[in-house]
Structures are given as C-alpha cells and as structure tokens.
Amino acid sequence: MKIYMNGKLVPKEQAVVSVFDHGLLYGDGVFEGIRVYGGKVFLLDQHIKRLYEGARAIRLKIPVSDQEMTLAVEETVAANDIQDGYVRLVITRGAGSLGLDIQRTSNPQVIIIADTISLYPAELYEQGLKLITASTIRNHPQALSPQVKSLNYLNNILAKIEGTDADCLEALMMNHKGEVAECTGDNIFIVKNGILKTPSTDAGILEGITRNAVMMLAKQAGLEVKEVTLTRNDIYVADECFLTGSAAEVIAAVSLDGRQIGDGKPGPITKDLKKRFEKLTRGES
Ligand code: PMP
C-alpha cells in the first residue's frame, strides 16, 4: 500500500508523523472520508470544499491548493489500484512544541490513505440497524462548529461506545437542546406520512455530503423533503428511518432504544432512495 505524504507516495511503513504533531497531541487538524466507485472518487469536489473550509475555520493553512489536492487524491487512488474503496484525507497542524501555541508548529502534514472499507456487515443493509440514544451529546455548536470535521472525534467515539455496549452499531446523538442531531458518523432521516424529514444544520449537525445527495434524489423522485427539528419521539413513531454517510451509504434503522420503528424492516421509501443512491454512485443518474 502506498500512502501519500506531503507530496510523495511512500510505503505504508514510512508514512509516519512526529509524536510532537499537534494532530496527535491535541486532535488539531481536519479530515475527510470519501468513497471511490468504479475507480472514480465520488463527489470529490464537495469533500475538498468542506476540507478547506474546515481548515480555514480552525486557522490551518493547507500547504497545497485545492486543485493540487484533488490531483493528489486521484493519484493515490490510482497508485493503489482502488476500484471500490475509501479515501481518508488527513491534514494535521504539524509538529510543534508541547504547548498549544500554533506559532510554534510548522509543516502541516498532508496524508492521503486509499483503502477498502466495509463499515457494517452486508446483512444489516437488508435487515437495518438497531440504534440507541447515547447520553453523550453532540458537541455544542458554539464551542466548535459541527461543520469542521476535526481530528477530535471524542464525543462521537464515546457515543459510539455506548452504542456498541448496547449491541448497536450506531447511536443517536442529541444536541445541547435535547433535539435529534445525528448519529456518531452518519446523518439521520425519517419518513412520516410520505414526507422525508431530517434535522437542519441548525441542530448542530455535520452537513453530510451523502445527506445532501439523498435529499436531492428524494426531491427528484417527487418526495416532499423537510429540514425540521426532530425529537426522539418523532423517531419512535416514524414510518421509516435511515442513516446516510460516505462510509455507510444509505442504511435503514429499524429500532431506537428497543422500540421498533415502523414495521421493523427497511421501508419502501428507504429502499427506493438506497437504489437511487446506488445508481448515482455508478454514475447512472
Ligand atoms: N455526521 C458525522 C458526525 C460524520 O462524521 C459523518 C461522516 N462520517 C456524517 C455525518 C456523514 O457525512 P458524509 O455524508 O459527508 O460522509
């Protein structure tokens, strides 16, 4: 496996960062998770845009232009001969001293890993996921914008642990107001009376690229799509529920906190949107 590091493709053993890197010491950096379908990097422009906006928000200057980054991603995918896989793009603040001062850091690290991925077992795409509500809430949006995909995912990791402890591969995270935000690594949607609903970005969520693609597909399919405040109860009594994410794609959620959602199986609208999304990944729509 070849890893892109700061302009070069190197064997994975040589792809190392300093123990003084603020990415490691403080989670100081940004990242993206991107899919590759049929050798093509899916919605790359949108991921690059989010990466650069996140870096800007945390005052991290990425040492290469967005065009160069796009080419570097494509080059890394080709060098590893990835047809269907996953790209992890990581930018760290670079090595500094054992203090917070970013003035003392130098050389932000640009790392691109192209690999394969299978987030959830294949049968769960047929059966749907079980969810619990985590007690760990999503980061307060006024502390750190949820639009920044920062290298510090500790809240989400703690929520994910609560999920796996309860035998659930995803967990629902509420925001600081007690409203539904999203899952630990996925956005959430419900279907109620034929209307597709998802929390708006005001709920303190990451504006997922898969979320936006699915909303567009739903509108094209003639569905009414609403970005609204959702409570946990809205999910309990939803007709259907599903999650979206680059790694997860579209996957049904069939229970929350032990309460069955709808008839406990992936619903017809979920299945239809999943199919439409798959077509989009194959470049057919
Ligand atoms: N929410 C969170 C917290 C995430 O980390 C992710 C990405 N894994 C998503 C939502 C989904 O975003 P996207 O569709 O852009 O991958």
Side-chain angles (χ1 to χ4, degrees), residues 60-127:
L60 168 55
K61 173 112 187 56
I62 299 178
V64 293
S65 71
D66 49 358
Q67 289 98 327
E68 285 168 317
M69 189 71 85
T70 301
L71 291 176
V73 170
E74 283 163 352
E75 187 192 342
T76 311
V77 168
N80 288 284
D81 199 15
I82 300 288
Q83 283 303 306
D84 289 292
Y86 182 81
V87 173
R88 173 58 56 90
L89 233 173
V90 184
I91 318 291
T92 74
R93 183 84 64 184
S97 66
L98 294 177
L100 295 181
D101 189 356
I102 64 163
Q103 310 278 4
R104 299 210 194 157
T105 58
S106 57
N107 297 330
Q109 299 290 295
V110 179
I111 302 163
I112 306 171
I113 308 166
D115 203 353
T116 52
I117 191 170
S118 70
L119 191 65
Y120 300 123
E123 63 270 20
L124 288 185
Y125 284 87
E126 303 302 321
Q127 293 159 12

Side-chain angles (χ1 to χ4, degrees), residues 32-35 37 42 47 50 85-86 117 119 185-186 208-211 244-249 277:
E32 276 298 323
I34 316 168
R35 288 301 282 257
Y37 296 109
F42 185 58
H47 285 278
R50 188 167 69 185
Y86 182 81
I117 191 170
L119 191 65
D186 302 308
I209 289 167
T210 320
R211 166 191 185 270
T244 62
S246 297
E249 304 175 302
F277 182 74

Side-chain angles (χ1 to χ4, degrees), residues 58 97 142 191 262:
I58 65 163
S97 66
Q142 284 165 15
V191 178

